[in-house]
Amino acid sequence: MPDYHDDLRLAHVLADAADAATMERFKALDLKVDTKPDMTPVSEADTAAEELIRSALQRARPRDAVLGEEFGSEGQGPRRWIVDPIDGTKNYVRGVPVWATLIALLDRGEGGDRPVVGVVSAPAIGRRWWAAEGAGAYTGRSLTSATRLRVSAVSELADASFSYSSLGGWEELGRLDAFLQLGRECWRTRAFGDFWSYMMVAEGAVDMCAEPELSLWDMAAPAIVVKEAGGRFTGLDGREGPHSGNAVASNGLLHEELLRRLGD
């Protein structure tokens, strides 16, 4: 198995630079916010953070491709960095501290592109999570000051905590009734949303989560963290990894039931 330790160290350096850029403009009264063609917001901090990350990757990994939310795809090759400069931009522009920079590396193998490194950095709440293939998942302040992550052992739906982002997407997908029924049968439901749901699955604080519509940059980093913490990350179609356009993550024990209730 390849060693991705150097790539993980680089991802931390990239996250440090992005944290500095995003925190500098968080809650700024003159923050510039525009609306993209898909009617979602983008702030000057989104674009600045992605530009920083791309520039650093060009210097450190010039042969690697890059895909980012704000500036699209660049380069070719079996290795591709996936960047979401601010996951949770709506929170960011309203002053809600739950947002994060997501950085992942995908490597191509026999089964296609798979996440092999992921860093999720949420500086406004003082948290960071990361993982590398075969090396486990961790949270902490640095590579040398970290706690290993492990998913929960909850195996019954009636004992499970279920996290989600919103109801609208499930209604558009025609699965709102199934979603609501699932929630009724769980011990607890909370709309933590975005990256945080997946990180809490990896921590064992939440047992499962699902979102009906996502992009690769939303999922690549969380997918490797959940997997390396011992959980499962698939699409609603049951396909392993972050390539289905939606996501189901769990401690593994509840996954098939979750797919049966919400899946294709």
Side-chain angles (χ1 to χ4, degrees), residues 14-36:
L14 300 175
D16 289 343
D19 285 355
T22 52
M23 284 301 293
E24 183 179 4
R25 300 299 293 155
F26 185 48
K27 295 187 178 181
L29 296 178
D30 61 344
L31 180 71
K32 183 180 179 182
V33 182
D34 296 316
T35 301
K36 294 191 284 189

Short mmCIF file of all heavy atoms in Angstrom, two decimals, residues 14-36:
data_model
loop_
_atom_site.label_atom_id
_atom_site.label_comp_id
_atom_site.label_asym_id
_atom_site.label_seq_id
_atom_site.Cartn_x
_atom_site.Cartn_y
_atom_site.Cartn_z
N LEU A 14 -1.74 23.18 3.79
CA LEU A 14 -2.76 23.87 2.99
C LEU A 14 -3.91 24.33 3.87
O LEU A 14 -4.42 25.45 3.71
CB LEU A 14 -3.28 22.93 1.90
CG LEU A 14 -2.27 22.40 0.89
CD1 LEU A 14 -2.94 21.39 -0.04
CD2 LEU A 14 -1.64 23.53 0.09
N ALA A 15 -4.34 23.48 4.79
CA ALA A 15 -5.45 23.84 5.68
C ALA A 15 -5.06 24.99 6.61
O ALA A 15 -5.88 25.87 6.89
CB ALA A 15 -5.87 22.62 6.49
N ASP A 16 -3.81 25.01 7.06
CA ASP A 16 -3.35 26.13 7.90
C ASP A 16 -3.47 27.45 7.15
O ASP A 16 -3.93 28.46 7.70
CB ASP A 16 -1.89 25.92 8.32
CG ASP A 16 -1.71 24.80 9.33
OD1 ASP A 16 -2.71 24.41 9.96
OD2 ASP A 16 -0.56 24.33 9.47
N ALA A 17 -3.05 27.46 5.89
CA ALA A 17 -3.11 28.68 5.09
C ALA A 17 -4.56 29.10 4.85
O ALA A 17 -4.91 30.29 4.94
CB ALA A 17 -2.40 28.47 3.75
N ALA A 18 -5.42 28.12 4.56
CA ALA A 18 -6.83 28.43 4.34
C ALA A 18 -7.49 28.95 5.61
O ALA A 18 -8.28 29.90 5.57
CB ALA A 18 -7.55 27.19 3.83
N ASP A 19 -7.16 28.35 6.74
CA ASP A 19 -7.72 28.80 8.03
C ASP A 19 -7.41 30.27 8.28
O ASP A 19 -8.26 31.05 8.71
CB ASP A 19 -7.17 27.97 9.18
CG ASP A 19 -7.77 26.57 9.25
OD1 ASP A 19 -8.70 26.27 8.47
OD2 ASP A 19 -7.31 25.79 10.10
N ALA A 20 -6.16 30.64 8.03
CA ALA A 20 -5.76 32.03 8.25
C ALA A 20 -6.55 32.98 7.36
O ALA A 20 -7.01 34.04 7.80
CB ALA A 20 -4.25 32.19 8.01
N ALA A 21 -6.72 32.59 6.10
CA ALA A 21 -7.43 33.45 5.14
C ALA A 21 -8.91 33.56 5.48
O ALA A 21 -9.50 34.65 5.43
CB ALA A 21 -7.25 32.91 3.73
N THR A 22 -9.54 32.46 5.82
CA THR A 22 -10.98 32.49 6.10
C THR A 22 -11.30 33.16 7.43
O THR A 22 -12.28 33.90 7.53
CB THR A 22 -11.56 31.06 6.07
OG1 THR A 22 -10.81 30.21 6.94
CG2 THR A 22 -11.53 30.49 4.66
N MET A 23 -10.48 32.91 8.43
CA MET A 23 -10.74 33.54 9.73
C MET A 23 -10.54 35.05 9.68
O MET A 23 -11.22 35.80 10.39
CB MET A 23 -9.84 32.92 10.80
CG MET A 23 -10.29 31.53 11.25
SD MET A 23 -11.98 31.48 11.93
CE MET A 23 -11.75 32.45 13.44
N GLU A 24 -9.63 35.50 8.84
CA GLU A 24 -9.38 36.94 8.73
C GLU A 24 -10.63 37.68 8.26
O GLU A 24 -10.86 38.83 8.65
CB GLU A 24 -8.22 37.19 7.76
CG GLU A 24 -7.85 38.67 7.64
CD GLU A 24 -6.69 38.90 6.69
OE1 GLU A 24 -6.22 37.92 6.07
OE2 GLU A 24 -6.25 40.06 6.57
N ARG A 25 -11.44 37.04 7.43
CA ARG A 25 -12.63 37.71 6.88
C ARG A 25 -13.94 37.26 7.53
O ARG A 25 -15.00 37.78 7.20
CB ARG A 25 -12.70 37.45 5.36
CG ARG A 25 -11.50 37.96 4.59
CD ARG A 25 -11.35 39.47 4.74
NE ARG A 25 -12.46 40.18 4.08
CZ ARG A 25 -12.87 41.39 4.42
NH1 ARG A 25 -12.32 42.03 5.45
NH2 ARG A 25 -13.84 41.97 3.75
N PHE A 26 -13.88 36.30 8.44
CA PHE A 26 -15.10 35.83 9.10
C PHE A 26 -15.70 36.94 9.96
O PHE A 26 -15.03 37.55 10.78
CB PHE A 26 -14.77 34.61 9.96
CG PHE A 26 -15.98 33.96 10.60
CD1 PHE A 26 -17.11 33.68 9.86
CD2 PHE A 26 -15.97 33.65 11.95
CE1 PHE A 26 -18.22 33.07 10.44
CE2 PHE A 26 -17.08 33.05 12.54
CZ PHE A 26 -18.20 32.77 11.78
N LYS A 27 -16.96 37.22 9.73
CA LYS A 27 -17.73 38.26 10.41
C LYS A 27 -17.30 39.67 10.03
O LYS A 27 -17.68 40.64 10.70
CB LYS A 27 -17.69 38.09 11.94
CG LYS A 27 -18.37 36.82 12.43
CD LYS A 27 -18.45 36.79 13.94
CE LYS A 27 -19.18 35.55 14.43
NZ LYS A 27 -19.31 35.52 15.89
N ALA A 28 -16.50 39.81 8.96
CA ALA A 28 -16.11 41.14 8.50
C ALA A 28 -17.34 41.89 7.98
O ALA A 28 -18.14 41.34 7.21
CB ALA A 28 -15.07 41.04 7.40
N LEU A 29 -17.50 43.11 8.39
CA LEU A 29 -18.67 43.89 7.99
C LEU A 29 -18.67 44.22 6.51
O LEU A 29 -19.73 44.46 5.91
CB LEU A 29 -18.74 45.18 8.82
CG LEU A 29 -18.94 45.00 10.33
CD1 LEU A 29 -18.95 46.35 11.03
CD2 LEU A 29 -20.23 44.23 10.63
N ASP A 30 -17.48 44.26 5.89
CA ASP A 30 -17.39 44.57 4.47
C ASP A 30 -17.15 43.33 3.61
O ASP A 30 -16.67 43.44 2.48
CB ASP A 30 -16.30 45.60 4.22
CG ASP A 30 -14.92 45.11 4.65
OD1 ASP A 30 -14.84 44.12 5.42
OD2 ASP A 30 -13.91 45.73 4.24
N LEU A 31 -17.49 42.14 4.12
CA LEU A 31 -17.31 40.91 3.37
C LEU A 31 -18.14 40.97 2.08
O LEU A 31 -19.34 41.22 2.10
CB LEU A 31 -17.75 39.71 4.21
CG LEU A 31 -17.62 38.34 3.54
CD1 LEU A 31 -16.15 37.94 3.40
CD2 LEU A 31 -18.38 37.28 4.34
N LYS A 32 -17.50 40.71 0.96
CA LYS A 32 -18.19 40.72 -0.32
C LYS A 32 -18.75 39.34 -0.62
O LYS A 32 -18.03 38.34 -0.60
CB LYS A 32 -17.22 41.14 -1.44
CG LYS A 32 -17.89 41.25 -2.80
CD LYS A 32 -16.90 41.67 -3.87
CE LYS A 32 -17.57 41.74 -5.24
NZ LYS A 32 -16.61 42.09 -6.31
N VAL A 33 -20.06 39.30 -0.91
CA VAL A 33 -20.74 38.04 -1.20
C VAL A 33 -21.49 38.17 -2.52
O VAL A 33 -22.24 39.11 -2.73
CB VAL A 33 -21.73 37.66 -0.09
CG1 VAL A 33 -22.40 36.32 -0.40
CG2 VAL A 33 -21.03 37.60 1.27
N ASP A 34 -21.26 37.21 -3.43
CA ASP A 34 -21.95 37.16 -4.71
C ASP A 34 -22.82 35.92 -4.77
O ASP A 34 -22.71 35.01 -3.94
CB ASP A 34 -20.95 37.16 -5.87
CG ASP A 34 -20.14 38.44 -5.94
OD1 ASP A 34 -20.75 39.52 -5.79
OD2 ASP A 34 -18.91 38.36 -6.13
N THR A 35 -23.67 35.85 -5.80
CA THR A 35 -24.51 34.68 -6.03
C THR A 35 -24.06 33.99 -7.30
O THR A 35 -23.94 34.60 -8.35
CB THR A 35 -25.99 35.08 -6.16
OG1 THR A 35 -26.39 35.74 -4.95
CG2 THR A 35 -26.87 33.86 -6.37
N LYS A 36 -23.80 32.66 -7.19
CA LYS A 36 -23.38 31.88 -8.34
C LYS A 36 -24.59 31.53 -9.21
O LYS A 36 -25.74 31.69 -8.79
CB LYS A 36 -22.66 30.62 -7.85
CG LYS A 36 -21.36 30.91 -7.15
CD LYS A 36 -20.54 29.67 -6.91
CE LYS A 36 -21.08 28.85 -5.77
NZ LYS A 36 -20.16 27.74 -5.40
#
